[in-house]
Amino acid sequence: MTAALSLGTYRVRAVSQAARTALAAGSPWVDTAPNYAHGRAHEELRPLLREYPTVRVATKAGFFTEEQGRTALADGVLTREEAAGRHSLERGFVRWQTERSLATLGRVDLVFVHNPEHDGQGLDRTALHGRVREAFTALEEFARTGRIGGYGVATWSGLTSGAFSVPELLALARQAAGSAEHHFTGLQMPVSLIMDAPITQALNGGGPLVQAKDAGLITFGSAPLHGGALLDAMTPELVNLIRPGLSAAAAALLAAGSCPGLDVVLTSASTREHWDDAAKALAAPLTAQELRRVTDELAGE
């Protein structure tokens, strides 16, 4: 199985245009956040979500724009110092931000706690885990009443830096829920040929993606092109090794999307040509042997 190609709206300039392209092409998920597109991503997505009622929506809680911080300060859910930090996992703020996301988007299937390791800078692991549990507690309230489908963690470096592990996040979810019947249902992390540790770990039968799948979580791979930086490293030889005839972007997406244990790979492709190029490549995933040949080649460089 290959991961489902879906729209990620980070660094997308024209969110509504990219979303219209992706949804018309059958993207099963749209991944966004309140701070994306300078705080306008949710507003741009709302009319399209009405047009496509079956697409699943993932947003986040944690980061906020300067303007959103001023509103939160005025509403009494952040202190002036917290508002200046542009990121918070305080329970009251997570509740406030999720309410606003629901009001703007209309519906939310999954709320990711956004880069919790950012909130933990300068904290020990115990204190960071306490913050994450607070955020989970707020989101459990929404999920328990059916207002969101579930919640998860979207991390950039938390799993690789040792700030937390998948088993620890699951334990925090059980604590937040007060039982094993929690609503922690998703994990998002970078998966690419630059940040390829999750790929090599999964090929060897371990790592966070395998742990997440074993726990029944939906797994999302972000930044498969590493913000575009990977394209410079996609030599004709590397593309040919992945699959002859592909574009550099499609080859990079195919490698990420073929990672064992990955359900969804997020792309910011904004034109139908780029979307179809990637979708065609992902329709025939690499075998584990083919993917290992790629990672071995990169490891030997």
Side-chain angles (χ1 to χ4, degrees):
M1 291 293 293
T2 187
L5 186 67
S6 294
L7 178 67
T9 57
Y10 181 55
R11 288 184 173 174
V12 173
R13 290 192 182 91
V15 172
S16 57
Q17 175 189 327
R20 186 167 294 283
T21 297
L23 297 181
S27 175
W29 282 90
V30 171
D31 179 77
T32 188
N35 63 314
Y36 287 179
H38 306 288
R40 297 191 308 272
H42 282 184
E43 287 82 356
E44 290 194 38
L45 286 170
R46 180 175 178 119
L48 286 159
L49 297 181
R50 289 199 198 100
E51 290 182 40
Y52 294 89
T54 61
V55 69
R56 302 181 75 184
V57 185
T59 189
K60 303 180 182 72
F63 283 109
F64 50 90
T65 65
E66 185 176 356
E67 182 181 349
Q68 290 163 355
R70 285 196 296 267
T71 305
L73 177 63
D75 286 354
V77 294
L78 288 179
T79 66
R80 192 169 299 279
E81 183 180 3
E82 289 166 343
R86 305 279 284 275
H87 185 276
S88 175
L89 298 184
E90 294 292 333
R91 190 190 304 192
F93 175 75
V94 170
R95 188 181 295 118
W96 177 89
Q97 192 174 42
T98 303
E99 288 281 8
R100 286 169 58 91
S101 294
L102 282 164
T104 307
L105 290 167
R107 57 190 169 86
V108 174
D109 295 281
L110 186 55
V111 177
F112 287 115
V113 177
H114 199 177
N115 290 9
E117 65 272 18
H118 180 90
D119 200 61
Q121 292 175 5
L123 298 177
D124 61 26
R125 292 178 87 254
T126 301
L128 171 60
H129 291 188
R131 297 272 183 94
V132 174
R133 185 171 53 246
E134 284 292 298
F136 284 4
T137 300
L139 295 171
E140 273 289 345
E141 296 169 7
F142 284 96
R144 196 175 294 122
T145 56
R147 300 190 64 206
I148 64 174
Y151 63 91
V153 164
T155 179
W156 182 255
S157 62
L159 291 164
T160 54
S161 70
F164 43 78
S165 66
V166 172
E168 286 171 334
L169 293 174
L170 289 164
L172 292 170
R174 289 191 292 270
Q175 292 168 23
S179 76
E181 302 301 314
H182 60 78
H183 293 84
F184 183 90
T185 55
L187 180 73
Q188 183 182 137
M189 65 183 300
V191 178
S192 73
L193 291 179
I194 288 182
M195 300 182 77
D196 66 348
I199 299 176
T200 55
Q201 290 168 335
L203 284 169
N204 292 326
L209 291 175
V210 170
Q211 291 173 333
K213 284 300 295 177
D214 286 348
L217 306 185
I218 305 169
T219 54
F220 294 72
S222 62
L225 305 184
H226 203 71
L230 179 56
L231 296 179
D232 292 335
M234 297 297 294
T235 63
E237 293 78 14
L238 179 56
V239 171
N240 196 56
L241 178 64
I242 295 169
R243 182 165 294 156
L246 295 183
S247 67
L253 277 162
L254 174 59
S258 299
C259 177
L262 192 63
D263 294 317
V264 178
V265 61
L266 300 172
T267 179
S268 58
S270 56
T271 70
R272 187 60 188 256
E273 180 184 4
H274 289 159
W275 186 276
D276 288 347
D277 186 39
K280 183 179 178 182
L282 284 165
L286 300 176
T287 65
Q289 183 179 8
E290 290 169 334
L291 186 56
R292 193 183 294 277
R293 193 180 306 135
V294 174
T295 57
D296 287 349
E297 176 71 20
L298 292 173
E301 289 183 353

